[in-house]
Amino acid sequence: MTPLRRRLFAAGAAAGCAALGGWVAWTRYSPTDTGDAASALLFAQTLPDADGQPFALASLKGRTIVLNFWATWCPPCVDEMPELSSLHGKISPRNATVIGIGVDSPSNVREFAQKHRFAYPLLVAGLTGSELARQFGNTSAALPFTVVIDPSGRVVERKLGRIRLPHLRRIVLETADKRPG
């Protein structure tokens, strides 16, 4: 085999291995479908907000919910929060809301919330937030993780990683005016 053929063969083998590795990672770490059980679990929760006050998530039934799992130590989580705050301001008059679920300690979330004022509620779930995110299909436990739930409690979108605001806004506005059915 000539040196050129050896290099081409090696490059082809490397590309094949990279493609296989990408497929394995995609199938293992992409969010999975969950059904209604995760929404029922969410609505059964009462979590403290950043000030320690209880927030009953059942109060959100019948609304479009942008549920964002985040942590203070997660740079992409913190980077997207101003966009989520802006989105909340635009959608809250339209039967929709953004809720931040902090997968972090109460003291970290409290300090963060005092330093950065956002228009949407920041709740504290600690490590149980990872389990709730897993119920919504985040099998990798990576953050940020965002879920959109329509007024009937059906999950209509999942996003692992930083949000894309125009896409998220379109999905939310398509579902915000629906009534539970």
Side-chain angles (χ1 to χ4, degrees), residues 42-124:
L42 173 73
F43 294 133
Q45 303 286 319
T46 296
L47 298 173
D49 66 14
D51 295 323
Q53 298 303 309
F55 187 101
L57 290 158
S59 68
L60 302 176
K61 282 184 178 180
R63 302 184 79 191
T64 295
I65 304 164
V66 177
L67 187 64
N68 178 257
F69 293 89
W70 68 284
T72 60
W73 45 262
C74 168
C77 299
V78 174
D79 286 348
E80 71 185 7
M81 291 176 92
E83 292 176 76
L84 288 168
S85 188
S86 172
L87 177 66
H88 178 76
K90 288 178 176 55
I91 67 173
S92 59
R94 299 201 46 198
N95 194 40
T97 190
V98 175
I99 299 291
I101 303 285
V103 183
D104 211 325
S105 72
S107 60
N108 285 351
V109 173
R110 183 179 54 255
E111 289 173 25
F112 182 87
Q114 289 171 349
K115 184 176 178 184
H116 307 278
R117 296 290 177 184
F118 292 110
Y120 62 97
L122 300 179
L123 306 180
V124 181

Coordinates of all heavy atoms in Angstrom, one line a residue, residues 42-124:
L42 N -44.2 16.9 38.6 CA -43.9 18.4 38.7 C -45.0 19.0 39.5 O -44.7 19.8 40.4 CB -43.7 19.0 37.3 CG -43.6 20.5 37.4 CD1 -42.2 20.9 37.9 CD2 -43.8 21.1 36.0
F43 N -46.2 18.8 39.1 CA -47.4 19.5 39.7 C -47.6 19.1 41.1 O -48.3 19.8 41.9 CB -48.6 19.4 38.9 CG -48.5 20.1 37.5 CD1 -48.9 19.4 36.4 CD2 -48.0 21.4 37.4 CE1 -48.8 20.1 35.1 CE2 -48.0 22.0 36.2 CZ -48.4 21.4 35.1
A44 N -47.0 17.9 41.5 CA -47.1 17.5 42.9 C -46.1 18.1 43.8 O -46.2 17.9 45.0 CB -47.0 15.9 42.9
Q45 N -45.1 18.8 43.3 CA -44.0 19.4 44.0 C -44.4 20.8 44.6 O -45.1 21.6 44.0 CB -42.8 19.6 43.1 CG -42.3 18.4 42.4 CD -41.6 17.5 43.4 OE1 -40.8 17.9 44.2 NE2 -41.8 16.2 43.2
T46 N -43.9 21.0 45.8 CA -43.9 22.4 46.4 C -42.4 22.6 46.7 O -41.8 21.9 47.5 CB -44.8 22.5 47.6 OG1 -46.1 22.3 47.2 CG2 -44.6 23.9 48.3
L47 N -41.8 23.6 46.1 CA -40.4 23.9 46.2 C -40.2 25.3 46.8 O -41.0 26.2 46.5 CB -39.6 23.8 44.9 CG -39.7 22.5 44.2 CD1 -39.0 22.6 42.8 CD2 -38.9 21.4 45.0
P48 N -39.2 25.5 47.6 CA -38.9 26.8 48.1 C -38.4 27.8 47.0 O -37.7 27.3 46.1 CB -37.9 26.6 49.2 CG -37.2 25.4 48.9 CD -38.2 24.5 48.1
D49 N -38.8 29.0 47.1 CA -38.2 30.0 46.1 C -36.9 30.5 46.7 O -36.4 30.0 47.8 CB -39.1 31.1 45.8 CG -39.5 32.0 47.0 OD1 -38.8 32.0 48.1 OD2 -40.4 32.8 46.9
A50 N -36.2 31.4 46.1 CA -34.9 31.9 46.5 C -35.0 32.5 47.9 O -34.0 32.5 48.6 CB -34.4 32.9 45.5
D51 N -36.1 33.0 48.4 CA -36.3 33.6 49.7 C -36.7 32.5 50.7 O -37.0 32.9 51.9 CB -37.3 34.7 49.7 CG -36.8 35.9 48.8 OD1 -35.6 36.2 48.8 OD2 -37.6 36.5 48.1
G52 N -36.9 31.3 50.3 CA -37.3 30.2 51.2 C -38.8 30.0 51.3 O -39.3 29.2 52.1
Q53 N -39.6 30.8 50.6 CA -41.0 30.7 50.6 C -41.5 29.5 49.8 O -41.0 29.4 48.6 CB -41.7 32.0 50.1 CG -41.3 33.2 51.0 CD -41.7 33.0 52.4 OE1 -42.8 32.6 52.8 NE2 -40.8 33.2 53.3
P54 N -42.5 28.8 50.2 CA -43.0 27.6 49.4 C -43.7 28.1 48.2 O -44.4 29.1 48.2 CB -43.9 26.9 50.4 CG -44.3 27.8 51.4 CD -43.2 28.9 51.5
F55 N -43.4 27.4 47.1 CA -44.1 27.7 45.8 C -44.7 26.4 45.3 O -44.0 25.4 45.0 CB -43.0 28.2 44.8 CG -43.6 28.6 43.5 CD1 -43.8 30.0 43.2 CD2 -44.0 27.7 42.5 CE1 -44.3 30.4 42.0 CE2 -44.5 28.2 41.3 CZ -44.7 29.5 41.0
A56 N -46.0 26.3 45.3 CA -46.7 25.1 44.8 C -46.8 25.1 43.3 O -47.4 26.0 42.7 CB -48.1 25.0 45.4
L57 N -46.1 24.1 42.7 CA -46.1 24.1 41.2 C -47.5 23.7 40.6 O -47.7 24.0 39.5 CB -45.0 23.1 40.8 CG -43.6 23.7 41.1 CD1 -42.5 22.7 41.1 CD2 -43.2 24.8 40.0
A58 N -48.4 23.2 41.4 CA -49.7 22.9 41.0 C -50.4 24.2 40.6 O -51.3 24.2 39.7 CB -50.5 22.2 42.1
S59 N -50.0 25.3 41.1 CA -50.6 26.6 40.7 C -50.3 27.0 39.3 O -51.0 27.9 38.8 CB -50.0 27.7 41.7 OG -48.7 28.0 41.4
L60 N -49.4 26.3 38.6 CA -49.1 26.5 37.2 C -50.0 25.7 36.2 O -49.9 25.9 35.0 CB -47.6 26.3 37.0 CG -46.7 27.1 37.8 CD1 -45.2 26.6 37.5 CD2 -46.9 28.6 37.6
K61 N -50.8 24.8 36.7 CA -51.6 24.0 35.9 C -52.5 24.9 35.0 O -53.0 25.9 35.4 CB -52.5 23.1 36.7 CG -51.8 21.9 37.2 CD -52.8 21.0 37.9 CE -52.1 19.7 38.4 NZ -53.1 18.8 39.1
G62 N -52.6 24.5 33.7 CA -53.4 25.3 32.8 C -52.6 26.4 32.1 O -53.2 27.1 31.3
R63 N -51.3 26.5 32.3 CA -50.5 27.5 31.7 C -49.4 26.8 30.9 O -49.1 25.7 31.1 CB -49.8 28.4 32.7 CG -50.8 29.1 33.6 CD -50.1 30.0 34.6 NE -49.8 31.2 33.8 CZ -49.0 32.2 34.3 NH1 -48.5 32.1 35.5 NH2 -48.8 33.3 33.6
T64 N -48.8 27.5 29.9 CA -47.6 27.1 29.2 C -46.5 27.4 30.2 O -46.4 28.5 30.7 CB -47.4 27.7 27.9 OG1 -48.5 27.4 27.0 CG2 -46.1 27.4 27.3
I65 N -45.6 26.4 30.4 CA -44.5 26.5 31.4 C -43.2 26.3 30.6 O -43.0 25.3 30.0 CB -44.6 25.5 32.5 CG1 -46.0 25.6 33.2 CG2 -43.5 25.7 33.5 CD1 -46.3 24.4 34.1
V66 N -42.3 27.2 30.8 CA -40.9 27.0 30.3 C -40.2 26.7 31.6 O -40.0 27.5 32.5 CB -40.3 28.3 29.7 CG1 -38.9 28.1 29.3 CG2 -41.1 28.7 28.4
L67 N -39.8 25.4 31.8 CA -39.2 24.9 33.0 C -37.7 24.8 32.7 O -37.3 24.0 31.8 CB -39.8 23.5 33.3 CG -39.4 22.9 34.6 CD1 -39.9 23.7 35.8 CD2 -40.0 21.5 34.6
N68 N -36.9 25.6 33.4 CA -35.4 25.6 33.1 C -34.7 25.1 34.3 O -34.7 25.7 35.4 CB -35.0 27.1 32.7 CG -33.5 27.2 32.5 OD1 -32.8 27.7 33.4 ND2 -33.1 26.8 31.3
F69 N -34.0 24.0 34.1 CA -33.1 23.5 35.2 C -31.7 24.1 35.0 O -31.1 24.1 34.0 CB -33.0 21.9 35.0 CG -34.3 21.3 35.3 CD1 -35.2 21.0 34.3 CD2 -34.6 20.8 36.6 CE1 -36.4 20.4 34.5 CE2 -35.8 20.2 36.8 CZ -36.7 20.0 35.8
W70 N -31.2 24.7 36.1 CA -30.0 25.4 36.1 C -29.2 25.3 37.4 O -29.7 24.7 38.4 CB -30.3 26.9 35.8 CG -31.0 27.5 37.0 CD1 -32.3 27.4 37.4 CD2 -30.4 28.4 38.0 NE1 -32.6 28.1 38.5 CE2 -31.4 28.7 38.9 CE3 -29.1 28.9 38.2 CZ2 -31.2 29.5 40.0 CZ3 -28.9 29.7 39.3 CH2 -30.0 30.0 40.2
A71 N -28.0 25.8 37.4 CA -27.2 25.9 38.7 C -26.3 27.1 38.6 O -26.0 27.6 37.5 CB -26.3 24.7 38.8
T72 N -26.0 27.7 39.8 CA -25.2 28.9 39.9 C -23.8 28.6 39.3 O -23.1 29.6 38.8 CB -25.1 29.4 41.3 OG1 -24.5 28.4 42.1 CG2 -26.4 29.8 41.8
W73 N -23.3 27.4 39.4 CA -21.9 27.1 38.9 C -21.9 26.7 37.5 O -20.8 26.3 37.0 CB -21.4 25.9 39.8 CG -22.4 24.8 40.0 CD1 -23.2 24.6 41.0 CD2 -22.7 23.7 39.0 NE1 -24.0 23.5 40.8 CE2 -23.7 22.9 39.6 CE3 -22.2 23.4 37.8 CZ2 -24.2 21.8 39.0 CZ3 -22.7 22.3 37.1 CH2 -23.7 21.5 37.7
C74 N -23.0 26.8 36.7 CA -23.1 26.4 35.3 C -23.0 27.7 34.4 O -24.1 28.4 34.3 CB -24.3 25.6 35.1 SG -24.8 25.3 33.4
P75 N -21.9 28.0 33.8 CA -21.8 29.2 33.0 C -22.9 29.3 31.9 O -23.5 30.4 31.7 CB -20.4 29.2 32.4 CG -19.6 28.4 33.4 CD -20.6 27.4 33.9
P76 N -23.2 28.3 31.1 CA -24.2 28.5 30.1 C -25.6 28.7 30.7 O -26.4 29.4 30.1 CB -24.2 27.2 29.3 CG -23.2 26.3 29.8 CD -22.5 27.0 31.0
C77 N -25.8 28.1 31.9 CA -27.1 28.4 32.6 C -27.3 29.9 32.9 O -28.3 30.5 32.6 CB -27.2 27.6 33.9 SG -27.1 25.8 33.8
V78 N -26.2 30.4 33.5 CA -26.2 31.8 33.9 C -26.3 32.7 32.7 O -27.0 33.7 32.7 CB -25.0 32.1 34.8 CG1 -24.9 33.6 35.1 CG2 -25.1 31.3 36.1
D79 N -25.6 32.4 31.6 CA -25.6 33.2 30.4 C -27.0 33.3 29.8 O -27.4 34.3 29.2 CB -24.7 32.6 29.3 CG -23.2 32.8 29.7 OD1 -22.9 33.6 30.5 OD2 -22.4 32.1 29.0
E80 N -27.8 32.2 29.9 CA -29.1 32.3 29.2 C -30.2 32.9 30.1 O -31.3 33.2 29.6 CB -29.6 30.9 28.7 CG -29.9 29.9 29.8 CD -30.2 28.5 29.3 OE1 -30.0 28.2 28.1 OE2 -30.7 27.7 30.1
M81 N -29.9 33.1 31.3 CA -31.0 33.6 32.2 C -31.5 35.0 31.9 O -32.7 35.2 32.0 CB -30.5 33.6 33.7 CG -30.4 32.1 34.2 SD -29.7 32.0 35.8 CE -31.2 32.0 36.8
P82 N -30.7 36.0 31.4 CA -31.3 37.3 31.0 C -32.3 37.1 29.8 O -33.3 37.7 29.8 CB -30.1 38.1 30.6 CG -29.0 37.5 31.4 CD -29.2 36.1 31.4
E83 N -32.0 36.1 28.9 CA -32.9 35.9 27.8 C -34.2 35.2 28.3 O -35.3 35.6 27.8 CB -32.3 35.0 26.8 CG -31.1 35.6 26.0 CD -30.5 34.7 25.1 OE1 -31.0 34.4 24.0 OE2 -29.4 34.2 25.4
L84 N -34.1 34.3 29.3 CA -35.3 33.7 29.9 C -36.1 34.8 30.6 O -37.4 34.7 30.6 CB -34.9 32.6 30.8 CG -34.4 31.3 30.1 CD1 -33.7 30.4 31.1 CD2 -35.5 30.6 29.3
S85 N -35.5 35.7 31.3 CA -36.2 36.8 32.0 C -36.9 37.6 31.0 O -38.1 38.0 31.2 CB -35.2 37.6 32.8 OG -35.8 38.5 33.6
S86 N -36.3 38.0 29.9 CA -37.0 38.8 28.9 C -38.2 38.0 28.3 O -39.2 38.6 28.1 CB -35.9 39.1 27.8 OG -36.6 39.7 26.7
L87 N -38.0 36.7 28.0 CA -39.0 35.9 27.5 C -40.2 35.9 28.5 O -41.4 36.0 28.1 CB -38.6 34.5 27.2 CG -39.6 33.5 26.8 CD1 -40.1 33.9 25.4 CD2 -39.0 32.1 26.7
H88 N -39.9 35.7 29.8 CA -41.0 35.7 30.8 C -41.8 37.0 30.7 O -43.0 36.9 30.8 CB -40.3 35.5 32.2 CG -41.3 35.5 33.3 ND1 -42.2 34.5 33.5 CD2 -41.7 36.5 34.2 CE1 -43.0 34.8 34.5 NE2 -42.7 36.0 34.9
G89 N -41.1 38.1 30.6 CA -41.9 39.4 30.5 C -42.8 39.5 29.3 O -43.9 40.0 29.5
K90 N -42.4 38.8 28.2 CA -43.3 38.9 27.0 C -44.4 37.8 27.1 O -45.5 38.1 26.5 CB -42.4 38.6 25.8 CG -41.5 39.8 25.4 CD -40.6 39.4 24.2 CE -39.8 40.5 23.8 NZ -38.9 41.2 24.7
I91 N -44.2 36.7 27.7 CA -45.2 35.7 27.7 C -46.1 35.6 28.9 O -47.2 35.0 28.8 CB -44.5 34.3 27.5 CG1 -43.7 33.9 28.7 CG2 -43.7 34.2 26.2 CD1 -43.2 32.5 28.7
S92 N -45.7 36.2 30.0 CA -46.6 36.1 31.2 C -48.0 36.7 31.0 O -48.9 36.1 31.6 CB -45.9 36.7 32.4 OG -45.6 38.1 32.3
P93 N -48.2 37.7 30.2 CA -49.6 38.2 30.0 C -50.4 37.2 29.1 O -51.6 37.4 28.9 CB -49.4 39.5 29.3 CG -48.0 39.9 29.5 CD -47.2 38.7 29.7
R94 N -49.7 36.2 28.5 CA -50.3 35.3 27.5 C -50.5 33.9 28.1 O -50.3 32.9 27.4 CB -49.5 35.3 26.3 CG -49.5 36.7 25.7 CD -49.2 36.8 24.2 NE -49.9 35.9 23.4 CZ -49.5 35.6 22.2 NH1 -48.4 36.2 21.7 NH2 -50.2 34.8 21.4
N95 N -50.8 33.7 29.3 CA -51.0 32.4 29.9 C -49.8 31.5 29.9 O -49.9 30.3 29.7 CB -52.2 31.7 29.2 CG -52.7 30.5 30.0 OD1 -52.8 30.5 31.2 ND2 -53.0 29.4 29.3
A96 N -48.6 32.1 30.1 CA -47.4 31.4 30.1 C -46.4 32.0 31.2 O -46.5 33.1 31.6 CB -46.8 31.4 28.7
T97 N -45.4 31.1 31.5 CA -44.5 31.5 32.5 C -43.2 30.8 32.4 O -43.1 29.7 31.8 CB -45.0 31.3 34.0 OG1 -44.2 31.9 34.9 CG2 -45.1 29.8 34.3
V98 N -42.1 31.4 32.9 CA -40.8 30.7 33.0 C -40.6 30.5 34.4 O -40.8 31.3 35.3 CB -39.7 31.6 32.4 CG1 -38.3 31.0 32.7 CG2 -39.9 32.0 31.0
I99 N -40.1 29.3 34.7 CA -39.7 28.9 36.1 C -38.3 28.3 36.1 O -38.0 27.4 35.3 CB -40.7 27.8 36.6 CG1 -42.1 28.3 36.7 CG2 -40.2 27.3 38.0 CD1 -42.4 29.3 37.7
G100 N -37.4 28.8 36.9 CA -36.1 28.3 37.1 C -36.0 27.3 38.2 O -36.4 27.7 39.3
I101 N -35.6 26.1 38.0 CA -35.4 25.1 39.0 C -33.9 25.0 39.3 O -33.2 24.4 38.5 CB -36.0 23.7 38.6 CG1 -37.4 23.8 38.2 CG2 -35.7 22.7 39.7 CD1 -38.4 23.9 39.3
G102 N -33.5 25.5 40.4 CA -32.1 25.5 40.8 C -31.6 24.1 41.3 O -32.1 23.7 42.3
V103 N -30.7 23.5 40.6 CA -30.1 22.2 41.1 C -28.9 22.6 41.8 O -27.8 22.5 41.4 CB -29.8 21.3 39.9 CG1 -29.3 20.0 40.3 CG2 -31.1 21.1 39.0
D104 N -29.1 23.2 43.0 CA -28.1 23.9 43.8 C -28.5 24.0 45.2 O -29.7 23.7 45.5 CB -27.8 25.3 43.1 CG -26.4 25.7 43.3 OD1 -25.8 25.4 44.3 OD2 -25.9 26.4 42.4
S105 N -27.7 24.5 46.0 CA -28.0 24.7 47.5 C -28.9 25.9 47.6 O -28.8 26.9 46.9 CB -26.8 24.8 48.3 OG -26.2 26.1 48.1
P106 N -29.7 25.9 48.7 CA -30.6 27.1 49.0 C -29.7 28.4 49.1 O -30.1 29.4 48.7 CB -31.3 26.7 50.2 CG -31.3 25.2 50.3 CD -30.0 24.8 49.6
S107 N -28.6 28.3 49.8 CA -27.8 29.5 50.0 C -27.2 30.0 48.7 O -27.2 31.2 48.5 CB -26.7 29.2 51.1 OG -25.8 28.2 50.6
N108 N -26.8 29.1 47.8 CA -26.2 29.6 46.6 C -27.3 30.3 45.7 O -27.1 31.3 45.1 CB -25.6 28.4 45.8 CG -24.3 28.0 46.3 OD1 -23.7 28.6 47.2 ND2 -23.8 26.8 45.8
V109 N -28.5 29.7 45.7 CA -29.6 30.2 44.9 C -30.0 31.6 45.5 O -30.2 32.6 44.8 CB -30.8 29.3 44.8 CG1 -32.0 29.9 44.1 CG2 -30.4 28.0 44.0
R110 N -30.1 31.7 46.8 CA -30.5 32.9 47.5 C -29.5 34.0 47.2 O -29.9 35.1 46.8 CB -30.6 32.7 49.0 CG -31.1 33.9 49.8 CD -31.2 33.7 51.3 NE -30.0 33.2 51.9 CZ -29.9 31.9 52.3 NH1 -30.8 31.1 52.2 NH2 -28.7 31.5 52.8
E111 N -28.2 33.7 47.4 CA -27.2 34.8 47.1 C -27.2 35.2 45.6 O -27.1 36.4 45.3 CB -25.8 34.2 47.4 CG -25.6 34.1 48.9 CD -24.2 33.4 49.2 OE1 -23.3 33.4 48.4 OE2 -24.1 32.8 50.3
F112 N -27.4 34.2 44.7 CA -27.4 34.5 43.3 C -28.6 35.4 43.0 O -28.5 36.4 42.2 CB -27.5 33.2 42.5 CG -27.5 33.4 41.0 CD1 -26.3 33.5 40.3 CD2 -28.7 33.5 40.3 CE1 -26.4 33.7 38.9 CE2 -28.8 33.6 38.9 CZ -27.6 33.8 38.2
A113 N -29.8 35.0 43.5 CA -31.0 35.8 43.2 C -30.9 37.2 43.8 O -31.5 38.1 43.2 CB -32.2 35.1 43.8
Q114 N -30.2 37.4 44.9 CA -30.1 38.7 45.5 C -29.2 39.6 44.6 O -29.4 40.8 44.5 CB -29.6 38.7 46.9 CG -30.6 38.1 47.9 CD -30.0 37.9 49.3 OE1 -28.8 37.9 49.5 NE2 -30.9 37.6 50.2
K115 N -28.2 39.0 44.0 CA -27.2 39.7 43.2 C -27.8 40.0 41.8 O -27.5 41.0 41.2 CB -25.9 38.8 43.1 CG -24.8 39.5 42.3 CD -23.6 38.7 42.3 CE -22.5 39.3 41.5 NZ -21.3 38.5 41.4
H116 N -28.5 39.0 41.2 CA -29.1 39.1 39.9 C -30.6 39.1 40.0 O -31.1 38.0 40.3 CB -28.6 38.0 39.0 CG -27.2 37.8 38.9 ND1 -26.3 38.5 38.1 CD2 -26.4 36.9 39.6 CE1 -25.1 38.1 38.3 NE2 -25.1 37.1 39.2
R117 N -31.2 40.1 39.6 CA -32.7 40.2 39.7 C -33.3 39.7 38.4 O -33.0 40.4 37.3 CB -33.2 41.6 40.1 CG -32.8 42.0 41.4 CD -33.5 41.3 42.5 NE -33.0 41.7 43.8 CZ -33.4 41.1 44.9 NH1 -34.3 40.1 44.8 NH2 -33.0 41.5 46.0
F118 N -34.0 38.6 38.4 CA -34.7 38.2 37.2 C -36.2 38.2 37.4 O -36.7 38.1 38.5 CB -34.2 36.7 36.8 CG -32.8 36.7 36.4 CD1 -31.9 36.1 37.2 CD2 -32.4 37.2 35.2 CE1 -30.5 36.0 36.9 CE2 -31.0 37.2 34.8 CZ -30.1 36.6 35.7
A119 N -36.9 38.4 36.3 CA -38.4 38.6 36.3 C -39.1 37.3 36.6 O -40.3 37.3 36.9 CB -38.9 39.1 35.0
Y120 N -38.5 36.1 36.6 CA -39.2 34.9 36.8 C -38.8 34.2 38.1 O -37.7 34.5 38.6 CB -39.0 33.9 35.6 CG -37.6 33.5 35.3 CD1 -37.1 32.3 35.8 CD2 -36.8 34.3 34.5 CE1 -35.8 31.9 35.5 CE2 -35.5 33.9 34.3 CZ -35.0 32.7 34.8 OH -33.7 32.3 34.5
P121 N -39.6 33.4 38.7 CA -39.3 32.7 39.9 C -38.1 31.7 39.8 O -38.0 31.0 38.8 CB -40.6 31.9 40.3 CG -41.6 32.5 39.4 CD -41.0 33.0 38.2
L122 N -37.2 31.8 40.8 CA -36.1 30.9 40.9 C -36.4 30.0 42.1 O -36.5 30.5 43.2 CB -34.8 31.6 41.1 CG -34.4 32.5 39.9 CD1 -33.0 33.2 40.3 CD2 -34.3 31.8 38.6
L123 N -36.6 28.7 41.8 CA -36.9 27.8 42.9 C -35.7 26.9 43.2 O -34.8 26.8 42.4 CB -38.1 26.9 42.5 CG -39.3 27.6 42.0 CD1 -40.4 26.6 41.6 CD2 -39.8 28.6 43.0
V124 N -35.7 26.3 44.4 CA -34.6 25.5 44.9 C -35.0 24.1 44.9 O -35.9 23.7 45.7 CB -34.1 26.0 46.3 CG1 -32.9 25.1 46.7 CG2 -33.7 27.5 46.2

